[in-house]
Each structure stands twice: as structure tokens, then as C-alpha cells.
């Protein structure tokens, strides 16, 4: 089941309703699947691939780009339906990371006056926290970061018993930085002062398929239904009738 939502629209699941974020232009959330006890919500354009890349091949006398960051954060507003409670949730995403730093140079016969190493690094972070309608936090938020690595990031909360309105605040962040390797070569002509060469560096990281999974369960009623009352009264009446028959039989036998 996949039901796309309009930006800022309220969406229904079997156990709760949620308000799509839609606070960053084209961002919107949609219900990816809804099964008893498990509802999955995809975060708009973030359910595809959001990538960040840094590239540097500049020489030391040229300006080089600084670190890049791509943040995204929002709050998912959730209203729990009567007869249900939210027991937990997870926020997960696949992360792909790749870096390239070219091999440096060996200074044989003092060919180079100076050698500077390059570098490339990436990071990907997911963080969540739960807040009630009055703004108070529920438990402790959770955050996880991958540095220069790929895999599945997973954060969330468990052991909840939420039956009223609350929100899930989430933050996602990508960071990349790359610096080229370069060397100052000795020039045979003493009048030539500057002969530089460089090897480029690359850093790439991306999120794929950010998904919120919300777990719920029905609340068993502690008050008997009218049918239960009727069955109980009928049972007590039958027991009383049997007891009276036995008592009457004993009285006749004693005469």
C-alpha cells in the first residue's frame, strides 16, 4: 500500500493520524505501508537518494572549498486514535559513503622541496527525540553517526505507552570534506621558483530510503461489554436454579 500525501495534509493509519511536515518546499511525507501494529512512513524526497559530495584538486596557492553540510530536520505530529497506544518507533536509512585520496609521492633524490598530504572524510547522522503535546520530552533522544562508512543507520525508542498526541522530532545531517595532495617540485632552473603538482581528493556520502516505522497495539478494555454482563447474569441464574433443585431434593429425601 502506498498513499502519497499532499504537503501539510493529515494522513490516516489504522492506529493514528499524522501530519505531514512539508516545511521545506517540496518535502512531504507519505504512508508507505499500514499493517496491524506496524505503520511505515517515508520522508518525501528523502525516501530516494540525497547525496553530498566534496571535490578538491586545488594547488596550495589557490583557494580550496571548505567542508560541506546538508541538514534536514522536522517534527512528525502524531494523534493516537481511541483504543490504541504507540509502543515504539524506529527511524532508519541506508548510507553509502566513498572517499578517494590519491597516492602521494616519494621524495627520491630530494626531487620535491615540500609534500603535503591530502584527505577526504564523510559523516552521516540520524537523531530522534519524542515530545508530548506540552513540549516535555519522553525518555532520552537517540543519535547515531557513521564516519567514512556505509551501512544502515537505525535510531528510535521502545517501551513506550503513548495514548495521546505527541511528536517525533528527527534530524538528518550529511557532511563531506576533501583536500588535494600537492607537492612542490625542485626545478632544475634556479630562477623558476614555483613548480607545483597536485592529486585530487573526493568525498561522497548519501542517504537512501529514510523510513519511520511506528509500532502500535490495541488497548484491551477493562470494562466488560454488555454481552459479557448478560452471559454472567445468565450463568449465575443457572447456578442458582441448580442449587435450589438440589436443596429441594434433599428436603424431600429427609422427610
Amino acid at each position: 500500500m502506498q498513499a502519497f500525501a499532499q504537503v501539510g495534509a493529515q494522513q490516516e493509519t489504522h492506529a493514528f493520524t499524522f501530519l505531514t511536515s512539508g516545511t521545506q518546499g517540496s518535502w512531504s511525507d507519505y504512508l508507505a505501508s499500514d499493517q496491524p501494529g506496524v505503520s511505515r512512513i517515508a520522508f518525501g524526497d528523502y525516501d530516494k537518494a540525497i547525496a553530498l559530495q566534496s571535490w578538491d584538486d586545488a594547488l596550495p596557492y589557490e583557494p580550496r572549498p571548505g567542508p560541506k553540510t546538508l541538514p534536514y530536520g522536522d517534527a512528525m505530529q502524531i494523534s493516537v486514535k481511541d483504543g490504541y497506544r504507540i509502543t515504539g518507533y524506529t527511524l532508519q536509512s541506508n548510507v553509502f559513503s566513498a572517499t578517494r585520496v590519491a597516492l602521494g609521492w616519494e621524495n627520491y633524490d630530494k626531487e620535491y622541496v615540500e609534500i603535503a598530504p591530502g584527505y577526504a572524510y564523510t559523516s552521516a547522522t540520524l537523531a530522534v527525540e519524542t515530545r508530548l503535546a506540552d513540549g516535555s520530552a519522553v525518555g532520552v533522544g537517540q543519535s547515531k553517526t557513521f564516519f567514512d562508512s556505509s551501512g544502515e543507520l537505525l535510531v528510535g525508542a521502545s517501551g513506550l505507552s503513548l495514548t495521546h498526541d505527541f511528536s517525533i522530532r528527527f534530524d538528518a545531517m550529511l557532511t563531506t570534506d576533501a583536500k588535494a595532495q600537492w607537492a612542490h617540485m625542485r626545478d632544475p632552473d634556479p630562477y623558476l621558483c614555483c613548480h607545483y603538482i597536485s592529486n585530487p581528493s573526493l568525498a561522497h556520502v548519501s542517504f537512501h530510503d529514510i523510513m519511520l516505522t511506528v509500532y502500535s497495539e490495541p488497548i484491551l478494555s477493562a470494562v466488560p461489554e454488555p454481552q459479557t454482563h448478560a452471559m454472567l447474569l445468565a450463568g449465575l441464574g443457572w447456578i442458582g436454579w441448580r442449587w435450589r433443585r438440589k436443596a429441594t431434593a434433599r428436603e424431600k429425601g429427609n422427610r
Side-chain angles (χ1 to χ4, degrees):
M1 173 181 175
Q2 193 176 78
F4 286 87
Q6 297 295 324
V7 174
Q10 184 167 296
Q11 295 295 294
E12 298 278 343
T13 76
H14 69 282
F16 60 91
T17 61
F18 68 93
L19 184 64
T20 63
S21 54
T23 60
Q24 298 197 10
S26 64
W27 301 117
S28 64
D29 312 323
Y30 65 84
L31 187 62
S33 65
D34 187 29
Q35 303 296 330
V38 181
S39 303
R40 290 185 170 87
I41 301 166
F43 285 102
D45 292 341
Y46 253 79
D47 74 308
K48 301 172 185 175
I50 302 301
L52 187 65
Q53 181 168 292
S54 291
W55 170 268
D56 181 43
D57 60 357
L59 295 171
Y61 50 82
E62 296 175 350
R64 59 170 297 274
K68 293 181 180 179
T69 59
L70 180 62
Y72 176 59
D74 216 326
M76 172 72 67
Q77 306 294 331
I78 293 180
S79 298
V80 187
K81 293 182 177 179
D82 291 340
Y84 286 92
R85 63 168 158 246
I86 304 303
T87 59
Y89 64 86
T90 58
L91 180 70
Q92 64 190 88
S93 176
N94 294 317
V95 175
F96 173 76
S97 172
T99 57
R100 176 184 180 275
V101 180
L103 295 177
W105 303 274
E106 302 235 357
N107 200 9
Y108 294 120
D109 299 325
K110 296 185 177 179
E111 181 181 3
Y112 306 111
V113 176
E114 184 180 4
I115 299 175
Y119 60 78
Y121 76 80
T122 69
S123 69
T125 300
L126 282 181
V128 291
E129 66 174 358
T130 316
R131 291 192 175 274
L132 300 178
D134 62 4
S136 59
V138 178
V140 179
Q142 197 177 115
S143 174
K144 288 187 179 179
T145 302
F146 277 172
F147 295 100
D148 299 325
S149 60
S150 303
E152 183 184 69
L153 271 180
L154 180 68
V155 293
S158 59
L160 304 178
S161 184
L162 300 176
T163 57
H164 300 288
D165 294 358
F166 69 98
S167 65
I168 299 173
R169 169 74 194 187
F170 67 92
D171 292 282
M173 174 78 76
L174 296 176
T175 302
T176 59
D177 192 18
K179 180 182 178 182
Q181 296 177 325
W182 57 266
H184 183 189
M185 298 185 67
R186 183 179 299 279
D187 200 289
D189 187 342
Y191 295 100
L192 296 176
C193 64
C194 301
H195 186 186
Y196 290 99
I197 59 175
S198 69
N199 277 335
S201 295
L202 169 70
H204 173 96
V205 66
S206 57
F207 280 127
H208 296 260
D209 308 318
I210 291 186
M211 187 77 68
L212 176 69
T213 303
V214 181
Y215 301 96
S216 60
E217 65 181 19
I219 299 174
L220 298 179
S221 177
V223 179
E225 298 293 333
Q227 297 90 333
T228 306
H229 281 294
M231 292 177 65
L232 177 61
L233 292 175
L236 291 175
W238 182 81
I239 292 172
W241 176 75
R242 292 282 296 176
W243 183 82
R244 284 195 299 272
R245 285 194 62 185
K246 289 182 179 180
T248 302
R250 280 197 299 269
E251 290 177 2
K252 290 181 178 179
N254 293 333
R255 289 177 184 171

